[in-house]
């Protein structure tokens, strides 16, 4: 018998920073590299080359990305940089002249070519092929599905369009095929992401494509409905309150899409929203929220807000607090305005002093924490569905911590001390109202027989400012 001894495949280490969209980019790159015969290395020491997928959204994220590049160079030395900060190749090269290559966001071919050059693949017909659903960096039971790249808006505090370009939507049939494979491979929750989910298909004039014998428009409503038929939870992120968003609410009422909307309102004051150049800046948002809740009483709304935007007066800020009090959103993340090089807001007059930003940030977080605690307390005694994320020791980290996940939690979360309940966690999951990494969790005191990806009925026994505590039935 002839035995072929294959040489060891080259190994790639990955440091993935930034938002879920960057995570999806990392997954695509690693899927392609895996198809080309590369292995992944869990540490710097075992890697033939380290790929750093960077974030360039805020100056603090840029600094974090630069630090990650520095660490990879110090620990390994052979580093390829990609992602949003890759747009600023001169900044990276000035600080780290030894990086092997720098590529920008969505330059999949370029980054893969750079890895090939740094650590050439071994041509072999025996190489393991990629699993049907591609390589995933999120746990198998939930998956991010990116439906478009880029953005047609020009919000005054944001440089994403200059980094990622204008909106480019994917074909709906391609998205649905990918989602179907993910579900077949064990995904229980599909998280729809983009820069602006409500704008999906605008660039391709909502053209129709055939899917399972029927035409499907490249439109958020059609896509959400078809995704909902695949049998997994479907969660919509980055939805702007355009009028047609009203049309996905019935899909939630039907149970096709989770009763969850992640809408980045960013502010409430009409004056500040205008200055921010926000899309779908509709003064009647509160009225619409009320109508949505009439149709879907358990609708959970998550949003983020920027405090201390240039020109934000005490009056504007009081308006925001009063709006939040009335809107009673389920999940709120607040950010202090950060002047980003290249964003129009950076050079606007009337910049708000840091101590005022801090005070306003704390006021929003305190108010939101109180509202959240009140809303969660109402759930005590009820029975809800929970998707199990981990069955683990109480101290174990969340699935993405160490790769940017901790940062996401910290930024999107309330500043609350760890709960006393966390000593007795048997399993941890999420309700339909909780997206991974950014929202709350449901802690089960009894993990008996459960495994990640299970969906169980849980009786809620207790709550705090952002989490629920219960026992599986
Ligand atoms: S909608 Fe505004 S904040 Fe969001 S990516 Fe587009 S320009 Fe940036």
């Amino acid at each position: 018998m002839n035995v072929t001894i294959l040489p060891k495949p080259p190994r790639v280490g990955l440091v993935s920073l930034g938002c879920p969209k960057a995570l999806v980019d990392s997954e695509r790159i690693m899927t392609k590299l895996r198809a080309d015969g590369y292995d992944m290395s869990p540490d710097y020491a075992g890697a033939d080359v380290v790929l750093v997928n960077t974030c360039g959204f805020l100056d603090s994220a840029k600094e974090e990305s630069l630090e990650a590049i520095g660490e990879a160079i110090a620990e390994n030395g052979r580093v390829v940089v990609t992602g949003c900060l890759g747009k600023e190749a001169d900044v990276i090269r000035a600080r780290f002249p030894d990086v092997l290559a720098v590529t920008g966001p969505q330059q999949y071919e370029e980054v893969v070519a750079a890895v090939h050059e740094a650590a050439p693949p071994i041509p072999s017909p025996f190489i393991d092929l990629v699993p049907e659903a591609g390589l995933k960096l999120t746990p198998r039971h939930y998956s991010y599905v990116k439906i478009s790249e880029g953005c047609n808006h020009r919000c005054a505090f944001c440089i994403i369009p200059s980094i990622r370009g204008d909106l480019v939507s994917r074909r709906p049939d391609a998205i649905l095929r990918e989602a179907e494979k993910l579900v077949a491979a064990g995904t229980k929750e599909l998280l729809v992401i983009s820069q602006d989910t409500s704008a999906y298909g605008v660039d391709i004039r909502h053209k129709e494509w055939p899917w399972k014998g029927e035409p499907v428009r490249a439109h958020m409503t059609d896509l959400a409905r078809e995704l909902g038929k695949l049998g997994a939870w479907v969660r919509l992120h980055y939805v702007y309150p355009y009028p047609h968003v009203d049309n996905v609410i019935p899909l939630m009422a039907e149970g096709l899409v989770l009763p969850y909307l992640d809408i980045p309102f960013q502010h409430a004051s009409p004056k500040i929203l205008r200055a921010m150049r926000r899309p779908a800046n509709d003064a009647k948002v509160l009225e619409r929220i009320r109508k949505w809740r009439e149709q879907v009483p358990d609708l959970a709304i998550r949003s983020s807000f920027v405090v201390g935007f240039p020109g934000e007066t005490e009056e504007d800020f009081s308006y925001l607090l009063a709006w939040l009090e009335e809107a009673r959103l389920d999940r709120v993340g607040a950010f202090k305005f950060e002047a980003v090089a290249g964003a129009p807001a950076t050079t606007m007059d009337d910049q708000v002093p840091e101590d005022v930003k801090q005070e306003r940030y704390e006021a929003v977080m305190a108010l939101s924490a109180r509202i959240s605690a009140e809303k969660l307390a109402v759930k005590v005694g009820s029975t809800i569905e929970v998707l199990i994320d981990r069955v683990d020791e109480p101290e174990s980290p969340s699935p993405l911590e160490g790769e940017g996940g901790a940062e996401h939690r910290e930024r999107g979360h309330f500043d609350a001390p760890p709960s006393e309940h966390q000593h007795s966690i048997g399993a941890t999951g999420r309700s339909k109202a909780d997206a991974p990494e950014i929202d709350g969790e449901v802690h089960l005191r009894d993990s008996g027989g459960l495994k990640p990806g299970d969906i169980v009925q849980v009786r809620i026994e207790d709550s705090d400012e952002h989490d629920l505590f219960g026992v599986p039935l």
Side-chain angles (χ1 to χ4, degrees), residues 136-353:
K136 286 166 40 51
L137 299 173
T138 43
R140 176 173 284 264
H141 63 277
Y142 66 84
S143 301
Y144 293 100
V145 178
K146 198 193 252 187
I147 61 170
S148 60
E149 302 277 7
C151 180
N152 284 347
H153 303 296
R154 298 293 181 263
C155 299
F157 53 79
C158 179
I159 53 166
I160 296 261
S162 68
I163 296 175
R164 300 207 158 219
D166 281 340
L167 178 75
V168 179
S169 299
R170 295 177 64 199
R171 290 167 48 151
D173 56 332
I175 298 168
L176 289 163
R177 201 167 300 116
E178 176 185 323
E180 193 177 50
K181 281 185 190 170
L182 288 166
V183 174
T187 285
K188 298 287 175 52
E189 177 177 5
L190 298 162
L191 299 119
V192 175
I193 56 166
S194 65
Q195 302 296 345
D196 176 2
T197 295
S198 332
Y200 170 64
V202 165
D203 55 312
I204 46 179
R205 294 164 190 253
H206 302 303
K207 201 176 152 199
E208 287 180 353
W209 268 272
W211 169 249
K212 296 193 184 294
E214 297 289 331
V216 177
R217 280 185 313 156
H219 189 284
M220 174 185 164
T221 319
D222 294 31
L223 185 67
R225 181 183 298 109
E226 293 305 317
L227 286 170
K229 292 178 186 167
L230 298 177
W233 285 9
V234 176
R235 192 181 296 282
L236 301 176
H237 285 284
Y238 314 116
V239 173
Y240 291 86
Y242 298 111
H244 68 261
V245 170
D246 296 357
N247 299 335
V248 294
I249 303 297
L251 302 181
M252 296 178 183
E254 278 179 58
L256 284 170
V257 174
L258 289 183
Y260 180 96
L261 275 179
D262 173 6
I263 307 187
F265 289 118
Q266 308 298 21
H267 213 283
S269 148
K271 182 192 105 189
I272 296 296
L273 285 168
R274 267 195 308 278
M276 286 178 165
R277 302 180 202 157
R278 293 293 292 164
N281 170 16
D282 179 351
K284 299 205 179 82
V285 165
L286 281 175
E287 176 60 16
R288 289 179 68 201
I289 291 176
R290 195 182 56 72
K291 287 203 175 123
W292 295 340
R293 285 182 173 146
E294 268 171 25
Q295 292 175 71
V296 181
D298 58 343
L299 176 66
I301 303 179
R302 141 164 285 276
S303 191
S304 55
F305 294 85
V306 173
V307 296
F309 187 81
E312 184 192 61
T313 59
E314 278 302 327
E315 200 185 348
D316 299 319
F317 182 65
S318 302
Y319 189 102
L320 171 61
L321 288 183
W323 189 95
L324 284 169
E325 189 78 70
E326 195 168 344
R328 291 182 68 76
L329 304 181
D330 299 80
R331 306 286 179 188
V332 167
F335 300 85
K336 289 173 272 180
F337 170 73
E338 200 176 301
V340 179
T346 300
T347 50
M348 283 180 175
D349 293 339
D350 302 323
Q351 297 282 332
V352 176

